[in-house]
């Protein structure tokens, strides 16, 4: 059934807004070329979007002939403001941005392991409020939170799993209570890192890949045919629980000790480095393993890097055997620290262990991927609402 005129207008308006988001400011002529619409149709949608306050003239193109097509139209960036949080066991980081993703403020606060749930939640919420105030933002439209653990696929809430601080689960609710007009969304940190690598990092040319997060702990995100897979209970990618050879015990339902985490978590990597005579120094909030791996690459500590690659290849080969992703990204602070050197060592070992060709790449974003992914998610949620079609009117004013 053909779309009604009002539905067609709404679809065209949304397409134009997405193009302006992805490409930046465009002329009417460029919108015509990218959308395939007629010149009158483009003129109409530009008028509608401008009247709705969603786009405005932001400059002029470099064309010599001045005229309507030389005007550059862009999304009104202060139509909505966003915040993104990266929640770790040892603290929280936040960025505040406008609707086009321009960062206006950023901050972080450490939260000690002995901090009670109430005080920890208050520190995190206060951090968001301070960052918004510093950015000059009176109200946040959407907040995206990246946190470790399982996200319930039905409720969208962080599930109660052992080993994670209780304040993690309280944070989203506390933000919603303190900021009642703000939309709050929680997502697993590794899934957000995969989204960031797919949009802005090393997986931009892949619609199927697996991201292996190597930080204080381990995790994985699975993207198949362009879609992030979460699983029946939200647990896809909990690779720390993967039973592997080389550990003394098996993991349990409440603890991943004895699983892949025991080979590739930060503490395990530090222990391996010390056995190879390497000195480990803490560097701020960064996992100690990231520093020692970076130093090992710079100092060509071949024996240690080979031993680490042997460990990582065990987990990677298991993932490859089940999913055949064709590409695996070593992410997180440790993956970024190992860079192309560690990625190449892992790839060579996986090639010997599996008949399925798999390219192993080093993350381009490292630990910053979670914040970037949370911001991308917040922006997408906000745009879904702001750009939503209204029958007979096109998009929301």
């Amino acid at each position: 059934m053909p779309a009604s005129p009002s539905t067609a207008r709404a679809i065209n308006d949304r397409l134009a807004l997405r193009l302006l988001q992805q490409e930046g400011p465009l002329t009417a002529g460029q919108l015509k070329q990218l959308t395939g619409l007629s010149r009158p149709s483009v003129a109409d949608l530009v008028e509608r979007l401008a009247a709705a306050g969603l786009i405005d003239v932001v400059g002029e193109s470099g064309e010599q002939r001045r005229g309507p097509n030389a005007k550059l139209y862009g999304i009104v960036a202060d139509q909505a403001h966003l915040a993104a949080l990266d929640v770790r066991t040892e603290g929280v980081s936040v960025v505040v941005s406008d609707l086009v993703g321009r960062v206006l403020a950023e901050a972080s606060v450490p939260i000690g392991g002995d901090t009670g749930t109430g005080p920890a939640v208050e520190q995190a919420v206060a951090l968001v409020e301070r960052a918004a105030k510093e950015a000059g933002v009176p109200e946040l439209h959407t907040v995206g939170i990246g946190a470790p653990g399982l996200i319930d696929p039905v409720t969208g809430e962080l599930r109660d799993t052992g080993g994670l601080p209780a304040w993690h689960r309280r944070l989203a609710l506390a933000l919603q209570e303190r900021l009642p007009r703000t939309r709050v969304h929680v997502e697993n940190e590794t899934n957000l890192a995969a989204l960031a690598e797919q949009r802005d990092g090393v997986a931009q040319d892949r619609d199927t890949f697996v991201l292996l997060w190597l930080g204080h702990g381990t995790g994985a995100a699975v993207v198949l045919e362009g879609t992030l897979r979460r699983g029946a209970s939200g647990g896809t990618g909990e690779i720390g629980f993967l039973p592997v050879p080389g550990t003394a015990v098996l993991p349990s339902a409440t603890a991943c000790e004895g699983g892949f985490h025991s080979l590739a978590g930060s503490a395990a990597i530090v222990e391996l480095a010390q056995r190879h005579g390497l000195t480990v120094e803490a560097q701020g909030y960064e996992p100690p393993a990231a520093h020692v791996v970076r130093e090992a690459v710079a100092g060509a500590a071949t024996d240690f890097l080979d031993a680490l690659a042997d460990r990582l290849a065990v987990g990677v080969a298991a993932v490859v055997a089940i999913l055949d992703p064709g590409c695996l990204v070593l992410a997180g602070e440790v993956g970024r620290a190992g860079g192309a050197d560690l990625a190449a060592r892992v790839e060579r070992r996986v090639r010997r262990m599996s008949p399925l060709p798999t390219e192993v790449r080093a993350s381009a974003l490292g630990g910053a991927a979670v914040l970037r992914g949370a911001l991308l998610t917040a922006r997408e949620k906000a745009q879904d609402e702001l750009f939503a079609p209204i029958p007979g009117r096109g998009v929301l004013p």
Side-chain angles (χ1 to χ4, degrees), residues 2-86:
S4 67
S6 62
T7 301
R9 285 194 296 271
I11 292 171
N12 292 339
D13 291 351
R14 192 176 180 88
L15 173 60
L17 287 164
R18 288 297 181 189
L19 287 169
L20 290 168
Q21 177 66 74
Q22 296 166 5
E23 305 294 334
L26 297 169
T27 66
Q30 290 169 326
L31 282 170
K32 174 182 179 296
Q33 181 180 11
L34 291 170
T35 61
L37 298 172
S38 67
R39 188 177 299 275
S41 294
V42 170
D44 287 344
L45 75 82
V46 166
E47 183 178 353
R48 285 194 302 273
L49 295 177
L54 292 173
I55 70 170
D56 201 357
V57 177
V58 296
E60 293 183 341
S61 69
E63 299 173 20
Q64 295 299 316
R65 181 180 65 80
R66 297 299 178 92
N69 286 354
K71 294 178 181 178
L72 281 169
Y73 296 95
I75 290 176
V76 178
D78 60 1
Q79 179 80 1
H81 292 94
L82 320 168
L85 280 74
D86 181 1

Side-chain angles (χ1 to χ4, degrees), residues 32-327:
K32 174 182 179 296
Q33 181 180 11
L34 291 170
T35 61
L37 298 172
S38 67
R39 188 177 299 275
S41 294
V42 170
D44 287 344
L45 75 82
V46 166
E47 183 178 353
R48 285 194 302 273
L49 295 177
L54 292 173
I55 70 170
D56 201 357
V57 177
V58 296
E60 293 183 341
S61 69
E63 299 173 20
Q64 295 299 316
R65 181 180 65 80
R66 297 299 178 92
N69 286 354
K71 294 178 181 178
L72 281 169
Y73 296 95
I75 290 176
V76 178
D78 60 1
Q79 179 80 1
H81 292 94
L82 320 168
L85 280 74
D86 181 1
V87 178
R88 305 291 180 97
T89 55
E90 72 279 2
V92 178
S93 298
V94 61
V95 297
V96 176
S97 84
D98 58 24
L99 189 58
V100 298
R102 183 171 61 244
V103 173
L104 305 176
E106 49 190 324
S108 62
V109 62
I111 297 178
D114 57 349
T115 305
T117 299
V121 169
E122 178 58 33
Q123 288 184 51
V125 173
L127 180 72
V128 175
E129 293 176 327
R130 288 197 304 271
K133 183 177 181 179
E134 179 185 335
V137 173
E139 183 176 82
L140 292 168
H141 183 282
T142 305
V143 174
I145 303 174
L150 302 178
I151 307 298
D152 190 303
V154 177
T155 65
E157 297 176 350
L158 191 64
R159 289 172 52 187
D160 184 4
T161 53
L164 295 176
W167 65 267
H168 284 193
R169 299 189 304 281
R170 276 283 306 153
L171 179 56
L173 180 59
L175 278 169
Q176 195 68 80
E177 292 172 347
R178 188 78 67 90
L179 308 172
R181 289 167 54 87
T182 299
R183 296 80 170 158
V184 179
H185 300 275
V186 185
E187 179 59 275
N188 173 267
E189 59 177 355
T190 308
N191 288 344
L192 291 176
L195 171 63
E197 292 288 355
Q198 187 179 38
R199 298 280 185 86
D200 300 329
V202 297
Q204 293 182 58
D205 62 334
R206 293 281 182 167
D207 63 358
T208 294
F209 70 99
V210 170
L211 179 138
L212 176 59
W213 181 268
L214 300 171
H216 286 286
T218 59
V222 177
V223 178
L224 301 178
E225 298 179 345
T227 301
L228 181 69
R229 304 296 182 177
R230 293 179 172 83
S233 62
T236 295
E238 287 296 316
I239 197 171
F241 287 88
L242 179 71
V244 292
T247 61
V249 297
L250 289 174
S252 70
T254 58
C256 57
E257 295 302 323
F260 183 63
H261 172 83
S262 295
L263 295 182
S266 180
I269 294 175
V270 165
E271 182 183 357
L272 179 67
Q274 291 171 335
R275 291 212 303 263
H276 282 80
L278 302 181
T279 301
V280 180
E281 298 178 4
Q283 296 286 316
Y285 303 124
E286 183 181 60
H291 175 69
V292 74
V293 168
R294 187 180 303 109
E295 293 296 311
V297 171
T302 302
D303 290 345
F304 164 69
L305 292 172
D306 283 343
L308 177 57
D310 287 340
R311 288 186 170 194
L312 297 180
V314 171
V316 173
V319 169
V320 168
I322 299 298
L323 297 175
D324 186 20
C327 177

